Amino acid sequence: MTGAVLAFAGRRIDAPGTVPARFPPEMAAPLRTVFDALLAREEVEVVVSSGACGADLLLLDAAEARGLRARLVLPFAPETFRAASVTDRSDPEHWGARFDRAVARARAAGDLLDLDCAVQGGPAYAAATEAIVVEAAALAKGPPHRRGLAVIAVDHRPRTSTDASRDLAALATREGFELITLSTLDPQLPAR
């Protein structure tokens, strides 16, 4: 067995005035540092994620910095997703540039999966979450055979609406993936 395939879902960066905080902008740099350490420690070879502003794009940046393959799963066209889930928060130019780079990289590698969902909203995002797990499971089964790893970055407060992170954790553990939970409020690499 070689390294790991990492299926990921995490919180978006908080909009201004979000109370209670779920992923404050000042936690972005510490979480990015945790991602660097996690990718190295777990010997990750492939990342499968969506591309929302916040945890998704921070992980994709860390994967790019390590030269790892990154499969980008979007529920609908990149331009539509960018407007709905990337540039609608604080610092849209910053997040938009990261997203554009991730899309260009995935497209060039043949690793951009646009699900082309007709309707935006909960069902489209749920379809993307399921597709992340399906893609990661297929990549883990090989060849070469790799270990399946599910990582979520959350604030540990239950959400009343759809929660892609919770859903990814449930789907991936059913596939036999190991689960690692990271905090967006106090980013630290959990001990092994």
Side-chain angles (χ1 to χ4, degrees):
M1 186 180 299
T2 58
V5 174
L6 189 155
F8 181 77
R11 295 285 184 253
R12 294 196 322 136
I13 208 78
D14 286 347
T18 299
V19 177
R22 290 189 177 274
F23 187 9
E26 62 270 16
M27 291 295 107
L31 184 61
R32 173 60 164 76
T33 300
V34 169
F35 285 146
D36 288 330
L38 176 74
L39 293 173
R41 183 184 81 183
E42 299 298 329
E43 299 177 348
V44 173
E45 294 180 1
V46 183
V47 170
V48 184
S49 176
S50 196
C53 64
D56 291 357
L57 289 174
L58 293 170
L59 176 63
L60 291 170
D61 279 353
E64 180 181 18
R66 296 185 62 77
L68 303 179
R69 180 178 177 193
R71 184 109 168 108
L72 181 59
V73 179
L74 301 177
F76 25 80
E79 302 76 29
T80 305
F81 185 85
R82 187 183 197 276
S85 299
V86 179
T87 59
D88 64 326
R89 298 283 168 107
S90 297
D91 206 358
E93 293 81 20
H94 168 79
W95 294 111
R98 285 179 179 219
F99 177 75
D100 295 343
R101 190 172 65 243
V103 168
R105 183 172 180 251
R107 186 175 275 140
D111 273 323
L112 177 62
L113 177 58
D114 171 0
L115 299 178
D116 197 24
C117 293
V119 178
Q120 293 184 31
Y125 292 110
T129 300
E130 184 175 345
I132 289 168
V133 174
V134 168
E135 293 290 314
L139 289 166
K141 290 175 182 156
H145 183 70
R146 298 176 180 104
R147 177 171 56 95
L149 180 64
V151 176
I152 59 172
V154 296
D155 58 320
H156 303 293
R157 286 190 202 99
R159 294 180 66 169
T160 56
S161 61
T162 302
D163 188 331
S165 301
R166 179 190 62 223
D167 295 346
L168 183 129
L171 291 167
T173 54
R174 273 188 240 135
E175 285 288 334
F177 282 34
E178 175 187 356
L179 176 64
I180 295 176
T181 302
L182 303 174
S183 171
T184 54
L185 297 174
D186 183 22
Q188 297 178 33
L189 186 61
R192 271 310 225 172

